[in-house]
Structures are given as C-alpha cells and as structure tokens.
C-alpha cells in the first residue's frame, strides 16, 4: 500500500505533503503518517521548521468518508491525538493551504502554528450539515482566531468561505495568489527558532462581552433551525470557548459531539449523505462504462414538464430543440419559459444577458426532422399510451442511430413504450418532478432492454443538470408515485373512518411533511386524479369506487384553482379555510358506505400514512424495483417533501424499529374491511423477525 505522506526537505525546512487522493481525507494511515512525519522532522537536527501541505485541490477535505462506520474511523491515532502532536511540536509548523480545507482539515490547519493559504482555497467547518458540531477542537480554535461572531457564523452555517476573505485575520498569516508552498517555506525559515505561538493559548476576542451576543445567537439560531438540534449546540460549544478554559471547553465540545452523534437527526443527515453517494452506483453498471456524448437534446411537448425540462437543460449549457405539433402550443410554451427566466432576473438571480443566451439556445420546431441530429430526446407529451406510441414511432424513424430516446411518463409501462421502436436498448425513462427546473429528483426508469451505457449516460446527464438521480425498475408509478398512491389511500381511508382532513394535514405537518396530503391535493388540482380514476375504471370496465374526492370534483371543487377543494380559498390567497360543505360531503359519503366514524389520535394518523409508504417501499425493494432502501429515501426526500430530519421513510422505519412497524401494520390489516395493501410485505416481516433493518 502506498504511504499517504510524501516527506522531503528544503534546506532546513521539512515539507510534509499529505497524499491521500482524492481529498486528503484524514483516514487512519494519513493520521498515523502525519504524526510519524512530525516526529521524524523533530528528531532531525538539520531541520528547524516544518511545512504541512496537501494537494492543489485539497489541503484536506476532513474525515475520510470511506472510513465512515468502520472501526478504523475511531482507531488511534484519532484526529484528537494528531492535533496536539502537531501543536506541541518543538519546531514551528506552517500549514500551506490550497483547495479545500474543510472540517478536520481546517482543525488540523488550526493546530499548526502558522497558516499560509492560496486566495482561492476554501475554508469551512461543515459538520453541522451532518447534524454534528466540529469534533476535534474546531469550535474552540476558530473563535480564538476569528472572534465569536465570525467563528459562530461559519460553524452554524457550515458554509465554506474563500481564503481571500480571511486576509488580515489571525486565521491566516498570509494569503497568496500563487506559490503557497514556497511562501510557507519562506515563513517557516523566518520563524524558525522563535517562540512558538499556539492557538489553544490565545484568548478569545470579545469573550468578556460575550453574553449579549450569545443570547442573541441562541434566539436566532433556535428560530432558524427548527427540527435540528446541532445548530443550537454549535452556539453552546462556541460559548464554552468564550467562557471556559481550553481544557474544559474541549470537554464540552466532546460531550456535545458525542450526544449529537446519538440523535436521530444526525443519523438522518449522515444517512442522506451516504445515500446520495450510493444512489449514483448501479450494481450491474460498472463505473467505467463508456458514455454516449450528449451535446444537443430534443424535448417533445412544451407543456408544464417539457418547459421545465428544457429549462433544466438550458441552465446546464445544453442546446434544446423544442417540439410541439401546434404553433399556438409552442408559442405558449416558449412564453412560459421566457416568463420564468424573467422572474429569476427580477429576483436578481440571473443576469439579463444569461437569460438571452439561454433563450437563444432553444430551437423551436413543429417538425420531427429537427430531431434528426439530437443525442437525446425527452418526451413530455400527454400521459396516454396512444400519444406516446405516435411520438416514439416518429422518433424511431427520424433520430440518428445511438440517440437516447427518453420518456417522462409518470405511470405508463416503459417496456411497452420501448416496444414502439426498433431500438428498445436506447429507450429509458427520465422522470422529472414538477417544476422540473427546480426539483432535484430525477427517477431514471430502466426498461428490461435498456442498455448499460444508456443508463450510465443518463446518470452522468443527471449530474450535469444538477439532479439527484435514482434508478427505478418498471412498475405502475415507479418508486415515488407507486408509494404515493398508498399514502394517498391511507389518508383517504382516515377521512372515511372518521378523521377530518384538517386533522390529517396537521398531523402530517407536525411530523414534518412540507404540506399535509389534502393541502397538497388542493394545490396540485384534484381533477387530475379524478380523470385518472375515471379512465382506469373505464378501462377495467367497472364503476369508479365512491370517494369523497370524487364528490368534491363532481361539485366542481378542483382545489385552489377553483377556489375550493378540501378547503375553501379566498381570491388571491392560498390559506386554506375550513368549509362545512366538505364535512357534509364526508358525512354523506360515510353514510353511503355505512361507516360509523371514530376518533383518531395524531400519532395513529402519522403511523397509517407513513407505514403505508414503508410497506409499499418494502415491496418495491423485494421486487428489485429499487436497488436499495436508501434509494427510496432519496426519492421521498427530494421529490415528495419528506422531512430531511427523518432521513426518509425507510430510515424512519428503521429508527422506529421494524417490529413496531410490523405490529402496527398487522393491526391495520386485521380491521374489518381492511384493504389488502395493509398486509405486511414479506420482506418487512422477514427483517422484523430476524432483527434486521432496511438500511
Ligand atoms: N405535471 C406533472 O407534475 C408531471 C410530473 C412528472 C411527469 N409528468 C408527465 O409528463 C408528461 C407531460 O405532462 P405535463 O404535465 O407537462 O402535461 P401538459 O399537458 O402540461 O403538457 C403536454 C404537452 O404536450 C403537447 N403534446 C401533446 N401531444 C403531442 C405530440 N404528439 N407531439 C408533441 N407535443 C404534444 C401538448 O400540446 C402539451 O403542451 C406526462 O407523461 C406526465 O405524466 C407530469
């Protein structure tokens, strides 16, 4: 195994270069290597000072994520052992910083006696983003170098800051535009033999008058970080730096760090961090799979989704050929895209020239021949198989060989769509979420014939257009909408059985959902689901099952757009107002079905809605529609407003404990007239009984 340290000397200065690509993650070998190199320099009489540096792209990105969850992460020497070894070196140590200097990397730099940075280097303590505080003296060192306020801002936000911003502060002794190692060596030569300054011996600037600031910080941080305990704990750790001697402050930092490690919120954030990385890997598509070139993209349909998809592509610098069959629809679509960009310009988030440049990259067309030279085409026409068939047969006829043909279908059978072409290996589902230029999720639907390089190319495209991609197999609604159907059914079942819609919405919002299911329905429009139910019933040759939702639609209550749905709305106001008419409809519906209503506690409301998701997620997993439970969590977090602090439905089930989830499902399934979907999924039963978990 190669050593992660390069040791050399320049005259009387030892240069210790960390060499653990890609980001100099502070793994066990690197941690041991730093101590050994410091000792080597210390023992060499010809050496009078030391420079510690990394690569151009990273001094160090902090902890080595490859060690997360392994025993190596906590094996001595830990970072808490490395930093005193550096700080107590009898020869001065100068950090030469370029690229990322984050988390443990910055803590390491702050244990050096001097710091020289390239102006473009980025410094930060991002631990709060994982629900933690910096755990190796960051909360005690940074206030000593930057003062309370600036240090707390950095620690609470977790945001990286350009080194240039720290010019003239004790955090950086020098900021240079080039030659950072040379500058550090020069500084090392200058300070050799002088008394060695130690950060831990510095006083915290402003400590004496800290109370007012800390009081203000406690209030504002608590207000801004509902659901997450870590930001408030950042304040307490920084307060300890101000109020306590070094050793006690360090003890406080450690206690807070260890306590936060045990919180479900930190577990959720760390899960999401790992889950996003895992989702990028497709088990049977190796990382080195050759990619097809995507330089020009076609979009079919300039409606809600087509317009948003076009914008997502334009935003990433791609040229887009946008096709509609009617000039009026094309004009409407283009006008909407322009209006959206104009709004962004008005908000100051886009320069007018950038808008013009993006709009200029659209080629509007009414003719399929314009698709002859595109590398990828994404179809976003009406959700009807007949329309999809017409589109895909035409694409098959005009597109060049090797072009990827993608559908944005929400529910339809992708394999059937692929069958409309002579090239099913080139057909894939790219399921965007509305608004497609904003929502981060992209479900990539893999057909039975989809070629590995088409999948790999689609994953790469997702990254390019800044989406988080999750691969789904083919089934009705894929991962997200298939689960959503169960969630909706559970919510509707609650209404039928006795819970008012307001209670269900409030309970789910209390759980952390951005909006309760009935408010979402009013926002999205109830007519869409109504039309789908009518079509499906007609196709199956059966009568539509009675529901309150149908009654609402029959009364013209389609949601916000008609001023009434599950709630009533005043003109120009999106605040939902309770409407006694809805309560009457619900009562009539219950009477029709012979239901005697009963009361539900909020906890049961949440159990029913969330466990319905979990149970369907388990089925999706055992059918191989999703490759891993964490993929399902990523879908729900990024596409359906699931609360981040819960880590997704599958992690939530793990945290609740699968035996508890199982018992609840068994209870729901045993109720008279219970829907068959409440039967626990065999995978859930197996995991619960064997002490297993989804993640
Ligand atoms: N709206 C959503 O939230 C959402 C989310 C994900 C996926 N989808 C899916 O995206 C697709 C489009 O949905 P939408 O909401 O954008 O619908 P929409 O009605 O807003 O837009 C569809 C557009 O396609 C055009 N069109 C119809 N037939 C065409 C044809 N043969 N050739 C070219 N253009 C044609 C229509 O003129 C219209 O502008 C559907 O498959 C839908 O299931 C929708």
């Amino acid at each position: 195994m190669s050593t992660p340290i390069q040791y050399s000397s320049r005259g009387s200065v030892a240069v210790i270069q960390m060499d653990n690509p890609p980001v100099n993650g502070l793994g066990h070998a690197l941690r041991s290597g730093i101590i050994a190199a410091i000792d080597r320099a210390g023992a060499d009489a010809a050496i009078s000072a030391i420079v510690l540096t990394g690569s151009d792209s990273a001094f160090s990105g902090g902890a080595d994520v490859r060690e997360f969850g392994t025993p190596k992460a906590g094996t001595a020497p830990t970072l808490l052992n490395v930093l005193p070894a550096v700080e107590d070196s009898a020869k001065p140590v100068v950090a030469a910083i370029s690229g990322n200097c984050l988390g443990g990397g910055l803590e390491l730099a702050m244990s050096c006696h001097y710091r020289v940075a390239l102006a473009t280097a980025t410094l930060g303590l991002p631990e709060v983003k994982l629900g933690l505080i910096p755990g190796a003296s960051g909360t005690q060192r940074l206030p000593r170098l930057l003062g309370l306020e600036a240090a707390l801002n950095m620690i609470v936000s977790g945001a990286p800051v350009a080194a240039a911003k720290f010019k003239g502060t004790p955090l950086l002794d020098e900021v240079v535009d080039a030659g950072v190692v040379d500058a550090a060596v020069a500084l090392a030569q200058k300070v050799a033999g002088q008394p060695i300054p130690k950060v831990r011996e510095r006083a915290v600037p402003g400590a004496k008058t800290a109370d007012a600031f800390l009081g203000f910080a406690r209030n504002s941080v608590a207000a801004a970080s509902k659901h997450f305990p870590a930001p408030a704990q950042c304040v307490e750790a920084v307060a300890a730096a101000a109020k306590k001697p070094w050793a006690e402050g360090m003890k406080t930092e450690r206690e807070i760090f260890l306590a936060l490690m045990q919180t479900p919120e930190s577990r959720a954030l760390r899960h999401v961090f790992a889950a996003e990385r895992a989702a990028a890997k497709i088990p049977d598509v190796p990382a080195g799979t050759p990619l097809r070139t995507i330089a020009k993209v076609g979009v079919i349909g300039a409606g809600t989704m087509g317009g948003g998809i076009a914008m997502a592509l334009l935003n990433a610098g791609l040229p887009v050929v946008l096709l509609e069959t009617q000039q009026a629809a094309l004009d409407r679509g283009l006008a909407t895209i322009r209006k959206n960009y104009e709004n962004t310009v008005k908000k100051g988030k886009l320069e007018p020239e950038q808008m013009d440049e993006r709009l200029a990259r659209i080629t509007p067309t009414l003719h399929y021949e314009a698709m002859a030279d595109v590398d990828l085409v994404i179809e976003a026409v009406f959700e009807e198989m007949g329309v999809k068939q017409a589109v895909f047969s035409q694409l098959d006829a005009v597109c060049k060989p090797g072009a990827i043909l993608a559908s944005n279908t929400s529910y339809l059978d992708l394999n059937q769509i692929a069958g409309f072409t002579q090239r099913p290996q080139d057909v894939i589902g790219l399921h965007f979420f509305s608004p497609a230029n904003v929502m981060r999720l992209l479900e990539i639907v893999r057909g039975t014939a989809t070629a590995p390089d088409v999948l790999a190319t689609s994953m790469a495209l997702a990254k390019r257009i800044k989406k988080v991609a999750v691969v789904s197999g083919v089934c009705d609604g894929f991962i997200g909408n298939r689960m959503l159907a169960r969630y909706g059914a559970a919510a509707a079942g609650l209404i039928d059985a006795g819970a008012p819609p307001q209670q269900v919405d409030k309970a789910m919002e209390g759980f952390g959902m951005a909006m309760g299911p009935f408010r979402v329905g009013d926002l999205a429009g109830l007519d869409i689901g109504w039309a789908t139910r009518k079509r499906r019933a007609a196709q199956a040759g059966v009568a539509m099952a009675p529901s309150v939702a149908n009654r609402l639609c029959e009364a013209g209550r389609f949601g916000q757009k008609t001023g009434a749905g599950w709630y009533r709305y005043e003109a120009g106001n999106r605040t939902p107002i309770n409407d006694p008419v809805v309560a009457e409809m619900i009562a009539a519906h219950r009477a029709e079905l012979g239901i005697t209503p009963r009361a539900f506690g909020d906890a049961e409301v949440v159990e029913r809605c969330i466990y319905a998701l979990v149970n369907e997620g388990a089925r999706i997993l055992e059918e191989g529609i999703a490759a891993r439970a964490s993929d399902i969590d990523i879908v729900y977090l990024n596409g359906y407003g699931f609360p981040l602090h819960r880590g997704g439905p599958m992690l939530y089930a793990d945290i609740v404990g699968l035996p508890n989830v199982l018992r609840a499902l068994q209870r729901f399934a045993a109720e008279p007239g219970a829907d068959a979907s409440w039967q626990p999924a065999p995978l859930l039963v197996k995991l619960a009984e064997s002490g297993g978990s989804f993640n």
Side-chain angles (χ1 to χ4, degrees), residues 385-410:
M385 200 50 109
V387 186
K388 305 285 189 201
Q389 175 165 18
V391 169
F392 275 82
S393 333
Q394 287 177 92
L395 289 175
D396 193 26
V398 299
C399 287
K400 66 184 180 189
I404 297 176
L405 311 183
S407 173
N408 182 48
T409 179
S410 306

Side-chain angles (χ1 to χ4, degrees), residues 290-312:
L291 303 180
R292 298 190 189 181
T293 304
I294 305 290
K296 189 175 181 186
V297 185
V299 173
I300 312 288
T304 309
M305 294 308 289
I309 293 168
M311 287 177 74

Side-chain angles (χ1 to χ4, degrees), residues 670-685:
E671 286 168 358
D675 191 275
S677 64
W678 285 118
Q679 286 300 329
L683 176 67
L684 176 57
V685 176

Side-chain angles (χ1 to χ4, degrees), residues 340-515:
N340 286 337
Y341 276 135
E342 280 170 353
N343 286 339
T344 317
V345 169
K346 265 188 218 147
K347 286 184 199 149
K349 290 185 182 163
L350 190 73
E351 296 301 321
E353 306 78 57
Q354 288 175 299
M355 171 179 89
D356 293 341
E357 189 272 328
R358 287 179 199 188
L359 289 172
R361 264 189 280 114
I362 308 180
T363 309
T365 184
L366 297 174
H367 307 288
Y368 274 84
E369 291 73 46
M371 295 294 161
D373 68 342
V374 299
D375 304 299
L376 160 72
V377 48
I378 305 172
E379 161 279 309
V381 301
F382 301 138
E383 183 78 341
E384 281 169 37
M385 200 50 109
V387 186
K388 305 285 189 201
Q389 175 165 18
V391 169
F392 275 82
S393 333
Q394 287 177 92
L395 289 175
D396 193 26
V398 299
C399 287
K400 66 184 180 189
I404 297 176
L405 311 183
S407 173
N408 182 48
T409 179
S410 306
Y411 293 94
L412 299 175
D413 181 348
L414 188 86
N415 291 327
Q416 195 180 342
I417 293 176
F420 300 141
T421 74
Q422 302 300 310
R423 40 174 128 177
Q425 74 282 358
D426 296 337
V427 177
I428 194 162
L430 293 180
H431 183 215
F432 289 78
F433 289 72
S434 182
N437 53 319
V438 176
M439 295 290 285
R440 258 185 104 215
L441 181 63
L442 179 64
E443 265 185 327
I444 295 192
V445 184
R446 172 184 198 163
T448 6
T450 307
D453 66 335
V454 169
L455 262 168
T457 305
S458 300
M459 296 298 279
L461 175 83
K463 215 169 166 184
R464 198 163 153 198
I465 62 174
K466 300 201 168 68
K467 301 290 179 200
V468 41
V470 173
V471 176
S472 170
V474 176
C475 64
D476 190 3
F478 316 119
I479 297 174
N481 283 341
R482 172 169 161 184
M483 286 167 67
L484 184 69
R486 303 284 23 115
Y487 177 77
L494 278 159
I495 303 285
D496 289 358
Q502 304 82 276
Q503 186 201 354
V504 177
D505 280 347
K506 219 162 137 263
M508 296 317 295
E509 286 160 19
F511 174 79
M513 299 299 288
M515 235 189 235

